[in-house]
Amino acid sequence: MGNSVLLAEIRDEAFDPAEVEALVRADSVGATVCFTGLVRDHDRDLPGETVTSLEYSSHPAAPDFMAQVCGEIAAKFGVRVAAAHRVGTLAVGDVAVAAAVSSAHRGDSFEACRELIDRIKSEVPIWKRQYGAAGSAEWVRGNCEH
């Protein structure tokens, strides 16, 4: 099957997670695991307030970090990888991030997808500003936690 990165992008336009998933499919694949991160209407950083939208911004090197993380996951687990993260203003229900991993067996796909999304959130320099219904705007711990 071999490892490969089929997509590692930061996008400023909406996308369908099914597009990300479709990229990792192949005849040699027995398991595909996907993660879709959506904008929700609440957050612990705005207790009691409804979240109305998010604004994601990224460092100019974010695409390079995304490619590096995806490549390392593909090599470590011997899997096919695709991932995309959105920047710009997103409404509740919008897709913020999608990641898909495929392999011959489900265990590898589950483990690799979990590590992939955790590393995207911790290593790719993308920041999140949350807007609340009462007019508040808070920078919250987004992707890059260091």
Side-chain angles (χ1 to χ4, degrees):
M1 186 183 108
N3 60 357
S4 57
V5 175
L6 298 143
L7 178 71
E9 289 186 354
I10 309 298
R11 296 183 175 184
D12 59 3
E13 294 181 4
F15 61 90
D16 185 345
E19 165 196 344
V20 177
E21 178 185 0
L23 292 171
V24 299
R25 292 184 177 254
D27 290 343
S28 60
V29 167
T32 298
V33 173
C34 305
F35 173 84
T36 302
L38 305 170
V39 177
R40 63 181 174 267
D41 67 356
H42 65 281
D43 192 274
R44 66 178 169 255
D45 293 318
L46 291 174
E49 187 171 354
T50 300
V51 172
T52 58
S53 64
L54 297 179
E55 180 182 349
Y56 284 100
S57 59
S58 65
H59 187 278
D64 297 331
F65 281 89
M66 179 74 95
Q68 180 178 339
V69 167
C70 289
E72 289 173 2
I73 293 296
K76 177 179 179 179
F77 292 96
V79 296
R80 298 167 59 87
V81 174
H85 200 298
R86 181 107 181 265
V87 293
T89 302
L90 283 72
V92 171
D94 284 350
V95 173
V97 61
V101 174
S102 66
S103 65
H105 303 285
R106 69 181 176 272
D108 294 334
S109 289
F110 275 113
E111 189 176 351
C113 193
R114 172 70 183 241
E115 186 170 324
L116 174 62
I117 197 65
D118 287 348
R119 288 192 57 197
I120 289 170
K121 291 201 56 75
S122 68
E123 297 176 29
V124 179
I126 298 173
W127 302 279
K128 175 173 70 172
R129 189 170 190 189
Q130 230 164 216
Y131 294 90
S136 64
E138 295 285 330
W139 285 101
V140 296
R141 194 168 54 141
N143 282 11
C144 204
E145 296 176 358
H146 55 274

